[in-house]
Amino acid sequence: MDQVTGRLEKPRQGWAGLWNISFGFFGIQIGFALQNANMSRVFQSLGASLDDLPALWVAAPLTGLLVQPIIGFMSDRTWLGRFGRRRPYFVAGALLAALSLLLMPIAPVLLAAAALLWMLDASLNISMEPFRAFVGDQLHRDQHTAGYAVQTAFIGAGAVIGSIFPYLLEHWGVSNVAGEGAVPDTVRWSFWAGGVALFLAVMWTVFTTREYSPEEMRSFGEQAEEDRGDALRTLATRSLLIPILWGAAGGLVIGLVAELGLEKEVYLLGALLVLYGLLSAIAIARAKRGLGAGMLGSLVGDFSGMPPVMKQLALVQFFSWSALFIMWINTTPVVAQNFFGASDPDSALYQKAGNWVGVLFAVYNGVAAVAALLVLPALAKRIGKARTHALCLLAGALGYASFFLLRDPQHLLLAEIGVGIAWASILAMPYAILASSLPQAKLGTYMGLFNIFIVVPQLLVATVMGSIMKAFFPAEPIWTMAFAAGVMGLAAVATLRVREA
């Protein structure tokens, strides 16, 4: 019990409790790692060109943009007795994601693979979003940093397994060469094993944890039900001019695509701006007429009235996730072309480069797992979460820049140390800062809305980077790493503006 307020406090969790709360993320990240390290290879094996990759990869951020706020909103309002608040979404997402992983490597054509990527990413987001809020639900405020550090360690460990599995299978004698229009057996078996591992890991968390009921949350002094009118009041004060300007900006982007000869993917960016303007206008108009907020009104209102610390972190997220998405899309072609001398996706040398990228991704995720447990909590306690985050992001920027200095693919392992340190902090520090600053009744909603600042930069990269590279650096993907280093450096600078609660 808190001696000052007289309220009951959430029990402190030991290592076993922290393990159970986040172990499901181990499986989820296996799925993400298999996707990140292998989808470019799958797409190119099925006939996609280098120029097509950003458009095909746009599924990942777009599904996150749509799914996470909705799932966050719904999970805040869910209570199914012993089944809980967040765990029903863990189960549903895990089932669909496992099915997607089982079907992905046998996709017969490019369109089928692209559709399965949409299904896979949507499913992973259904499970992942409630896990972010789950840590805040289960832990006392002073354990938030430790909770998200353990979650990050599991993310890193899962990503190591998912990233390195094709490489290990090749060394165990599984074929890493496939005919035209097919993927190697190393990739097939990795996806199938990953689907099983994902489902079992999520089920571990489901069966080894229990969630606090609304009554228990009230006894902890954490409001179990939000004031449903606050979003409505926020919207009622907004001018309709704002959504009109968003829509106009989207229309301008769409018009410039044809005028400037930009890549067709930029149409999506314009369409999203128009859609956001339209939805905002509808929500504001309903609020001004005194109609119920509903899901749309609540999400738009909460997005408009987000806490100051969330706004400060938004810019940090924008830059840091732009760098990450550039890396995920382009590392395979960069390593294949600049370090292995291979540009043909059907060549054995290109497939060898693809497996080495899996090793590189495994290394940065392994570094992240270690850094999350041994470095981040101690450093954050000494200098604060925000400064810790800034230092880690700077390490990531140096890691990307070193791609221009290194020549031997083995030496790229050094670059991944800096990337891994940044990755650990990106997965832990922003959420630890937020969980201690957000109202408990809206934790899922705000965590879902926070994902917008992860998704938008990825969409921007997917829609604009192709035009930039085609205009200035055709057939030279190595320059994408310069962009990654630059924007990660900007993220480190932006972090210095963040004021912790």
Side-chain angles (χ1 to χ4, degrees), residues 149-495:
V150 171
Q151 189 175 90
T152 297
F154 276 126
I155 291 171
V160 169
I161 300 299
S163 298
I164 205 171
F165 205 50
Y167 178 85
L168 293 177
L169 288 177
E170 181 187 13
H171 282 72
W172 293 338
V174 179
S175 174
N176 191 49
V177 179
E180 185 176 354
V183 297
D185 286 344
T186 52
V187 175
R188 289 175 183 265
W189 285 104
S190 295
F191 273 70
W192 294 337
V196 174
L198 184 155
F199 183 75
L200 292 178
V202 172
M203 290 303 102
W204 178 281
T205 290
V206 169
F207 286 111
T208 60
T209 59
R210 63 173 291 272
E211 297 187 64
Y212 296 117
S213 68
E215 292 75 19
E216 288 174 307
M217 295 298 278
R218 278 193 290 269
S219 73
F220 298 140
E222 296 182 358
Q223 191 177 6
E225 294 184 6
E226 67 177 271
D227 176 1
R228 300 293 176 85
D230 56 356
L232 196 63
R233 290 190 293 271
T234 299
L235 283 176
T237 65
R238 302 291 175 181
S239 169
L240 283 170
L241 178 61
I242 296 175
I244 292 173
L245 291 175
W246 280 111
L252 178 62
V253 170
I254 292 172
L256 289 175
V257 173
E259 184 70 24
L260 301 179
L262 302 177
E263 295 294 300
K264 60 183 180 298
E265 293 84 12
V266 184
Y267 279 120
L268 177 60
L269 183 61
L272 287 173
L273 292 173
V274 172
L275 179 61
Y276 177 71
L278 177 61
L279 294 178
S280 297
I282 293 173
I284 292 171
R286 286 176 56 85
K288 288 183 179 297
R289 293 171 58 191
L291 301 177
M295 180 187 294
L296 174 61
S298 295
L299 291 175
V300 173
D302 288 334
F303 184 74
S304 301
M306 70 181 73
V309 68
M310 193 168 165
K311 296 178 182 178
Q312 293 161 3
L313 284 167
L315 189 61
V316 179
Q317 294 291 88
F318 178 86
F319 288 129
S320 54
W321 282 89
S322 292
L324 290 171
F325 201 60
I326 290 171
M327 175 188 71
W328 289 331
I329 292 178
N330 295 287
T331 299
T332 296
V334 166
V335 172
Q337 181 172 316
N338 293 88
F339 293 87
F340 283 80
S343 299
D344 181 6
D346 293 325
S347 68
L349 194 58
Y350 190 96
Q351 296 298 336
K352 184 177 181 180
N355 278 359
W356 184 243
V357 170
V359 174
L360 296 178
F361 281 19
V363 167
Y364 88 71
N365 280 288
V367 169
V370 174
L373 291 179
L374 302 183
V375 178
L376 295 185
L379 192 59
K381 186 176 182 179
R382 185 176 182 85
I383 66 173
K385 300 183 188 76
R387 290 183 179 179
T388 296
H389 196 39
L391 285 176
C392 293
L393 293 176
L394 184 59
L398 294 174
Y400 291 134
S402 66
F403 270 70
F404 286 86
L405 303 176
L406 303 173
R407 295 293 179 265
D408 190 322
Q410 300 281 338
H411 295 164
L412 290 175
L413 294 171
L414 297 174
E416 298 306 314
I417 295 175
V419 175
I421 292 171
W423 180 230
S425 190
I426 289 168
L427 292 174
M429 288 298 103
Y431 298 99
I433 294 170
L434 279 179
S436 300
S437 306
L438 298 176
Q440 178 65 42
K442 292 187 176 182
L443 191 56
T445 298
Y446 277 127
M447 287 293 186
L449 290 172
F450 192 58
N451 189 60
I452 291 174
F453 306 118
I454 296 174
V455 170
V456 169
Q458 295 181 56
L459 288 173
L460 194 62
V461 169
T463 55
V464 174
M465 183 57 69
S467 296
I468 294 174
M469 294 302 297
K470 184 176 181 179
F472 297 103
F473 308 106
E476 296 181 79
I478 185 65
W479 287 100
T480 59
M481 291 301 167
F483 284 95
V487 295
M488 190 68 89
L490 291 173
V493 174
T495 305

